[in-house]
C-alpha cells in the first residue's frame, strides 16, 4: 500500500489549502481513509476521516472549517482547509485502513486511531 500526499505549504492566517492523498495497492474505495496531524511537542490528533460509504468525522478544532471528500474513481481523498489558523500548523498525515472492522470504527471515531497504513506526511504552516 502506498499513500501519496500532496498540497501542503505555507499560507497566511485566514487562507485556504487543499491536501490530496492518492492510495494504491490494497486500499479500495470501500476502505476508510483520513487525515491526522501532529504539531511539534504535541500528540497526533484526528483531523478528519471518511468511511467507505462516505460518512465523515472531524476533530473538534476543525469542524466547520475543513471538509474531507473522496473520489472513488481515483482512489483519492481530499482535505479542503479553510479559514486556516496558526494553530493548524502541523505535519498532516494521510492514513487508510483495510481491516474488516475499520469502517465501523471510523464511523464513530472521535479521536486518534491507529490506522494500519500511513503516508509520509506533508507540512502545513500557517503564518499569523
Amino acid at each position: 500500500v502506498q499513500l501519496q500526499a500532496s498540497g501542503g505549504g505555507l499560507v497566511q492566517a485566514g487562507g485556504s489549502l487543499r491536501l490530496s492523498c492518492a492510495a494504491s495497492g490494497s486500499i479500495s474505495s470501500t476502505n476508510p481513509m483520513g487525515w491526522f496531524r501532529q504539531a511539534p511537542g504535541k500528540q497526533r490528533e484526528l483531523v478528519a476521516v471518511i468511511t467507505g460509504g462516505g460518512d465523515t468525522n472531524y476533530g473538534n478544532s476543525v469542524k466547520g472549517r475543513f471538509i474531507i471528500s473522496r473520489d472513488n474513481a481515483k482512489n483519492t481523498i481530499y482535505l479542503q482547509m479553510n479559514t486556516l489558523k496558526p494553530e493548524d500548523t502541523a505535519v498532516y498525515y494521510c492514513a487508510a485502513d483495510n481491516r474488516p472492522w475499520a469502517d465501523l470504527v471510523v464511523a464513530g471515531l472521535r479521536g486518534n486511531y491507529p490506522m494500519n497504513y500511513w503516508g509520509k506526511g506533508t507540512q502545513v504552516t500557517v503564518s499569523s
Side-chain angles (χ1 to χ4, degrees):
V1 171
Q2 284 194 327
L3 300 173
Q4 185 64 48
S6 60
L10 173 64
V11 64
Q12 286 191 330
S16 298
L17 278 176
R18 190 174 85 148
L19 304 183
S20 301
C21 176
S24 60
S26 58
I27 295 295
S28 74
S29 60
T30 63
N31 297 134
M33 297 180 66
W35 297 94
F36 296 78
R37 69 186 182 187
Q38 188 166 20
K42 295 188 176 181
Q43 289 188 333
R44 188 174 63 198
E45 64 173 352
L46 167 69
V47 177
V49 289
I50 186 165
T51 68
D55 294 329
T56 58
N57 274 320
Y58 295 90
N60 287 334
S61 61
V62 307
K63 283 181 181 177
R65 299 188 297 123
F66 291 11
I67 301 171
I68 189 170
S69 61
R70 70 191 300 162
D71 183 333
N72 290 335
K74 297 181 179 180
N75 219 16
T76 298
I77 63 168
Y78 305 95
L79 184 69
Q80 179 66 42
M81 304 185 292
N82 301 319
T83 320
L84 282 160
K85 305 175 181 179
E87 50 265 42
D88 294 317
T89 295
V91 177
Y92 284 68
Y93 295 93
C94 175
D97 202 315
N98 61 1
R99 292 173 290 187
W101 59 86
D103 220 39
L104 186 61
V105 170
V106 168
L109 197 60
R110 293 292 179 266
N112 194 18
Y113 178 72
M115 309 276 270
N116 67 340
Y117 293 104
W118 294 82
K120 288 186 177 180
T122 184
Q123 177 71 45
V124 171
T125 303
V126 184
S127 63
S128 57

